[in-house]
Amino acid sequence: MSESLYITSASPRAGKAVAALGVLELLARRVDRIGLFRPLIDGDGTRDALVELLVDRYDLDVDLATACPMTYADAARHLESGHQDAVVTAAVEAFTSLRQKYDFVLVLGTDYTGPAASTELDLNATLAANLGTPVLSVVSAWDSEPDDVPAAVAQARHVLADHGCTLVGTLVNRADPVRRDEIEALLVASAPDEPVWVLPDLPVLSALTVDEVATALDGTVLAGEPADLQREVDRFVAGSAHVPNVLPLLDTGVLLVAAGDRADLAVAMAAFASSPDLPTPAGLVVTLGLIPDPLTQQLLRASRLPVVAVELDTYAALHEIEGLRGEIRAGSRRKIAAALGEFSAHVDTERLASRIRFSTSETVTPLMFAVDVLERARADRKRIVLPEGTDERILRAAEELLHGRVVDLVLLGDPGVIAAKAAAIGVDISAAEIIDPARSPLLPSLAARYAELRAHKGVTLGRAHDRVIDPSYFGTLLVETGRVDGMVSGATHTTAETIRPALEVIKTVPGVSLVSSTFLMCLPDRVLAFADCAVNVDPSAEQLADIASSTADTAAAFGIVPRVAMVSYSTGESGSGIDVEKVRLATSLLVERRPDLPVAGPIQYDAAVDPAVGASKMPGNDVAGHATVLVFPDLNTGNATYKAVQRSAEAVAVGPVLQGLRRPVNDLSRGCTVPDIVNTVAITAIQAQSVAPASRG
């Protein structure tokens, strides 16, 4: 029988989605098969925004018909006739059947949109008690005086206790950020033994986006990429006047609503959105089912302005938009990151986890690994420099990392250009420090440091100055002098442009002869480390031993117990030849240098990862069949193998992670995506956590 938790709110719009995201983030690090259950949903039962958000974010295997068995309309018929027991019975039967499939089931309480909102906490308490599920209570502090919050929390506790519910804790959400600490102190004083956590209100979470407008109005997106549709709508105006009278209204965040035949306004909006010197409107809604002409549409697409066409007339569209409220929806990366960042910052997740009953899985899935990487980076936040500050992917990833409180960031580039680019694509990077290498007051000291480090190569102060203006060198020197903890580059630079400055300035760890790389291979049921698949073409036996030692340390840093397989075409003493002899010698050197590591080699790939084959080919060896670190004899073998496993086993390959440097620098692919950048920055931060701080030069 699976374990479970019921999340219920004590009032409408308390922020149950934030609680659900935070709890699932906690669970996803520890539990393999997670299910969702929602006793009641709105509408006709064919979709539910909160379930869709969680399924999309955590890749959950959930069937809506099974997870959400009853609509409010179904429940209303029973409640109006006085048969609440029928609602409870139906929920218990569906839940009992569902929980057989999962290790843990998260139950999502009602949304206070049904016919009996005033008694929904009683209904949720009754359901939780009958499902035998402990409860996390969510109480809104929005628009409340601090003195009123303890009473609201106590009232919710009283209702839950009266129904026999077990309370694991209370999440007070949407508190006035200025008075959050005051509210928390009052809550602790009123009930010092009760676990309660207070989250400040974040405007970004309730901000309306263009995507939400398009969905609510059943609109057709004419222009704008998915990321552009996440722009926030600060206010909306009607395009009912001539262009000179409308232009002054087009401020940043404004959504213009106008008839589809107003090509003059559409062209003006495109011009506004294309200019770095003008505000960036949120988007354009064209009404009456009228579509701008093809040339105007081309101008709008070139401007990156989100454009949505709706069948409603302008007045009706404005009326509909006025009644909308922003939500955290599937695909809202900015809002999700912000919600998780606040949850992590203000909730004692270890205490919460200790109060939720669940069995930790020994399986490590790709989702578990990815969530764990972000949470470990948050736990000891580091400062990372991104030299490619004007790249759109870097800016979108920076916003997500900052909102999620994963790291602190330094972006390199002209501040004006970066700010204009960020505004044009609708991202908020205000929390990042932006440094222009060519104008930074740090330039003289960093140039002097570079000249000192490269004096043996004849580098003068003048040459050093010219070299350090380059963002890759400037960023690397920020790492070397301890001003930042690590660097991630490569979205627009080559691997050589990333690694060369690191080799010149940061250099390798004492005792390690070379920089190498690891791919963290997230298979469906485990995570393996593959090396070297990206840097060294044909390492010697001594270098191969260094690569294996570095990879074992990298694996351990990411929670992978290192069991090292030195891969070859032969296992044990069964083969000979120059290539297998190199692996045999490397194995001997590794065993001599690192007696702490369990090692097998030479060993074939199947004998390294398949327990049955390992027991047959290398009986009695603890690594055979159970290897977690696989070291390949050359780049040709390593690169081909990681790509074959990635494609054939549907594995997620994270990396390459550079290793062997004294301080972490990592390389991106020039085809990297925003999630790739987010993951690589988090990995760099974790690497930095195990490095002793450098003194600032």
Side-chain angles (χ1 to χ4, degrees), residues 511-529:
V512 174
S513 62
L514 77 172
V515 173
S516 58
S517 72
T518 295
F519 277 96
L520 299 169
M521 303 296 294
C522 303
L523 280 71
D525 60 346
R526 52 187 157 165
V527 179
L528 306 177

Side-chain angles (χ1 to χ4, degrees), residues 66-81:
T66 306
C68 306
M70 185 178 292
T71 67
Y72 275 110
D74 297 329
R77 286 191 289 271
H78 294 299
L79 294 173
E80 287 168 3
S81 60

